Amino acid sequence: QRTRGVRRDIHGPARRPVCERDRRGQQWTAVDAFLAASEIVVAMDCRANAKGQREEDALLENASQSNESDDTSTDHSPEPPPPLKETSFSIGLQVVFPFLLAGFGTVAAGMVLDIVQHWTVFTEVSEVFILVPALLGLKGNLEMTLASRLSTAANIGQMDTTKDMWKMIMGNLALIQVQATVVGFLASIAAVIFGWIPEGHFRMDHAVLLCASSVATAFIASLLLGLIMIGVIVASRKVGINPDNVATPIAASLGDLITLSLLAGISTGLYKELENDYANALVCATFVALCPIWVLIARKIPSTREVLYSGWEPVIIAMAISSVGGLILDKTVTNPNFAGMAVFTPVINGVGGNLVAVQASRISTYLHMNGLPMGDPNLTPRKCPTPCNSFFGSSVNSRSARVLFLLVAPGHLVFLYTINSLRGGHTTLTAIFIVFYLFAALLQVLILLYLADWMVHWMWGRGMDPDNFSIPYLTALGDLLGTGFLALCFHMRWFIGDRDSDMGN
């Protein structure tokens, strides 16, 4: 009745209309004027509220119909950030500095390996050389996979809130500790088998030494590198840099150096306790006994729970592939004529693994951010790409492949000059050696980048997350190809007469 200008008390009769003139003087009173103005305002407010309620009801109805038709989730998580616009120059600018940093880390690792190859534990228990590519490959099997997973999660908005970020961090740290312990244990078994088959000789104390050294090195190195990776990825998103371009190279910048230094130090310390029958076994049992704790933590996070159950195949197969490269390294370095190979092995393997990990992580992020259905049976299968499509196409992934491939030759020249300046190794850098070395490095990266383009899309079409499956295979193949091509270079130098082993003695 307000719209008709009639005021009614809650428990009383209707009063006279405020617009009715006063019978005594037919004049407006001050109170009536105030009440009339109030009633007009209330009426306008009621009409506005009614109109707003109708508009809100319409919006809710439209939203409900949209949700029913699109079958969208009711999750109110923040929208993922838009993809970063990248040109060849911006890709190269973001990649080159982490790439050089990672390269100098591999140079330092090569210098360390060149020194420790003459230590007692490496000469008396030569199977430790077989552990080197397998444990250095953990950065590809675990840390680079961790970096790729977290980079993708950061790019698609799964780490925008503090709660989600900490859940992702704790679950992934626990996961890589489980994987590091198991892979370290299996790597030691592979080293024992590969060392026993050619010689036909088996020593139990050496086997326990290898097991304890491998498990302890894998556990400690993975924990340190995992913490570094988390800090790099969180900082990259805050400053507006694509984590895919910087996380995986930085994982390798200190990865090889830390892992190799830990392996040399731990194995030397445990070798001194070789006469103690229980010391090495106790070290190995302690790290293995911690596995159930990490499993319980990793199971609480949905994203890591899936990897905990299904992510073992690529890690274990990659470890086996890297161990074959370690067997090649063992048989080559123990030959005095090829002792100079040790300093270059971490460099060529590390550079190839770093570049292919960047490319695989970028392609995986591209597939996630474009909303393509993983493993959809109705999705048209992608044909096997040709090298021309992989390197000379117009897509952003082809552009990044070209940029990464162009970094190989100048990068290796810088690293070779650094090794030569530090008087490292047992090999003089002749023109013949540099040509052979660069050819081997370019061929290795060319094969790896092409395999990354094919493998990531192939796994995506079959419902396998490339962040968890592709990088272990690719970095392990990089170790095998790099070690094999490098050994071939030294043999070819020897056959054509380009010999010397005096440098660095």
Side-chain angles (χ1 to χ4, degrees):
Q1 296 181 16
R2 288 178 177 177
T3 57
R4 294 199 302 268
V6 177
R7 293 182 291 106
R8 179 186 296 273
D9 290 333
I10 297 177
H11 300 291
R15 295 182 181 180
R16 59 186 175 83
V18 296
C19 57
E20 183 181 349
R21 296 182 181 275
D22 189 82
R23 294 174 181 172
R24 289 171 297 176
Q26 301 295 321
Q27 299 293 329
W28 289 88
T29 66
V31 174
D32 285 337
F34 173 78
L35 291 175
S38 300
E39 293 298 337
I40 293 173
V41 171
V42 170
M44 293 175 63
D45 184 49
C46 291
R47 286 194 296 269
N49 288 339
K51 179 180 179 182
Q53 185 66 37
R54 288 194 300 271
E55 291 176 352
E56 182 177 355
D57 292 341
L59 289 173
L60 291 174
E61 183 179 0
N62 291 337
S64 175
Q65 293 175 355
S66 175
N67 287 339
E68 292 176 358
S69 61
D70 296 337
D71 193 23
T72 58
S73 172
T74 58
D75 184 20
H76 297 288
S77 59
E79 291 292 330
L84 300 173
K85 301 296 183 182
E86 293 179 303
T87 62
S88 297
F89 178 76
S90 65
I91 294 173
L93 191 61
Q94 292 184 26
V95 171
V96 65
F97 295 108
F99 168 72
L100 291 175
L101 179 62
F104 288 125
T106 61
V107 169
M111 300 289 289
V112 171
L113 183 59
D114 185 55
I115 295 172
V116 302
Q117 67 174 328
H118 305 296
W119 288 11
T120 304
V121 65
F122 283 85
T123 56
E124 296 295 327
V125 189
S126 64
E127 292 86 356
V128 177
F129 281 111
I130 302 178
L131 289 177
V132 171
L135 293 181
L136 295 187
L138 281 178
K139 73 179 186 299
N141 298 342
L142 303 183
E143 278 74 31
M144 286 187 179
T145 303
L146 168 68
S148 182
R149 278 199 305 267
L150 294 182
S151 296
T152 299
N155 278 322
I156 64 178
Q158 292 182 357
M159 294 178 62
D160 288 350
T161 64
T162 304
K163 181 180 179 181
D164 291 341
M165 182 179 68
W166 279 109
K167 286 175 60 177
M168 190 74 67
I169 289 173
M170 295 303 297
N172 279 279
L173 278 179
L175 174 65
I176 65 172
Q177 294 312 114
V178 178
Q179 291 178 324
T181 304
V182 174
V183 171
F185 182 76
L186 295 178
S188 65
I189 295 177
V192 171
I193 293 174
F194 287 149
W196 168 68
I197 290 177
E199 299 177 1
H201 180 66
F202 177 78
R203 289 187 57 177
M204 178 58 71
D205 56 347
H206 285 186
V208 178
L209 169 65
L210 290 172
C211 179
S213 302
S214 180
V215 171
T217 300
F219 183 93
I220 298 173
S222 295
L223 179 61
L224 294 176
L225 294 173
L227 293 174
I228 294 173
M229 278 301 88
I230 290 169
V232 168
I233 291 170
V234 173
S236 297
R237 289 303 294 175
K238 288 186 177 180
V239 300
I241 296 176
N242 188 350
D244 287 320
N245 293 336
V246 297
T248 48
I250 292 179
S253 62
L254 297 176
D256 288 345
L257 180 60
I258 291 175
T259 304
L260 192 54
S261 300
L262 286 172
L263 176 61
I266 291 173
S267 60
T268 300
L270 294 177
Y271 181 77
K272 295 178 181 179
E273 301 295 329
L274 199 60
E275 296 181 357
N276 189 336
D277 297 334
Y278 303 102
N280 292 336
L282 183 61
V283 170
C284 184
T286 300
F287 286 104
V288 172
L290 292 174
C291 279
I293 299 176
W294 310 126
V295 170
L296 291 176
I297 297 175
R299 286 179 60 186
K300 294 181 180 179
I301 312 301
S303 60
T304 56
R305 185 189 307 128
E306 179 184 358
V307 182
L308 182 65
Y309 294 142
S310 62
W312 293 101
E313 177 186 346
V315 173
I316 294 174
I317 294 177
M319 180 273 302
I321 295 173
S322 296
S323 297
V324 176
L327 181 61
I328 297 174
L329 176 65
D330 179 29
K331 298 305 177 185
T332 306
V333 172
T334 52
N335 186 338
N337 296 321
F338 305 127
M341 176 179 168
V343 72
F344 301 108
T345 302
V347 178
I348 192 170
N349 291 349
V351 170
N354 297 343
L355 294 178
V356 74
V358 170
Q359 181 69 354
S361 182
R362 289 179 58 86
I363 298 175
S364 177
T365 300
Y366 173 82
L367 294 175
H368 277 92
M369 295 186 69
N370 282 272
L372 301 176
M374 190 190 326
D376 187 356
N378 297 323
L379 186 65
T380 304
R382 184 175 184 264
K383 296 181 180 179
C384 182
T386 63
C388 290
N389 291 334
S390 297
F391 291 95
F392 301 104
S394 58
S395 66
V396 65
N397 294 324
S398 298
R399 189 183 309 136
S400 62
R402 293 193 296 269
V403 172
L404 295 175
F405 182 75
L406 292 175
L407 291 175
V408 176
H412 273 295
L413 289 175
V414 171
F415 304 144
L416 290 177
Y417 176 78
T418 303
I419 293 173
N420 186 62
S421 299
L422 297 175
R423 305 288 293 176
H426 301 71
T427 303
T428 304
L429 297 184
T430 63
I432 296 176
F433 173 77
I434 293 175
V435 170
F436 283 163
Y437 180 87
L438 289 180
F439 180 78
L442 290 169
L443 183 60
Q444 175 208 27
V445 174
L446 187 71
I447 294 173
L448 289 176
L449 292 177
Y450 173 72
L451 288 177
D453 189 26
W454 167 77
M455 186 178 292
V456 171
H457 287 91
W458 181 84
M459 289 180 173
W460 183 270
R462 281 153 183 77
M464 301 187 308
D465 191 346
D467 284 329
N468 300 324
F469 289 87
S470 64
I471 293 181
Y473 289 124
L474 292 169
T475 53
L477 288 172
D479 291 341
L480 179 60
L481 291 174
T483 307
F485 289 161
L486 189 59
L488 186 61
C489 285
F490 275 86
H491 280 86
M492 292 179 65
R493 287 183 66 241
W494 182 263
F495 289 142
I496 66 176
D498 186 23
R499 309 172 184 175
D500 73 24
S501 59
D502 58 334
M503 188 171 184
N505 286 342

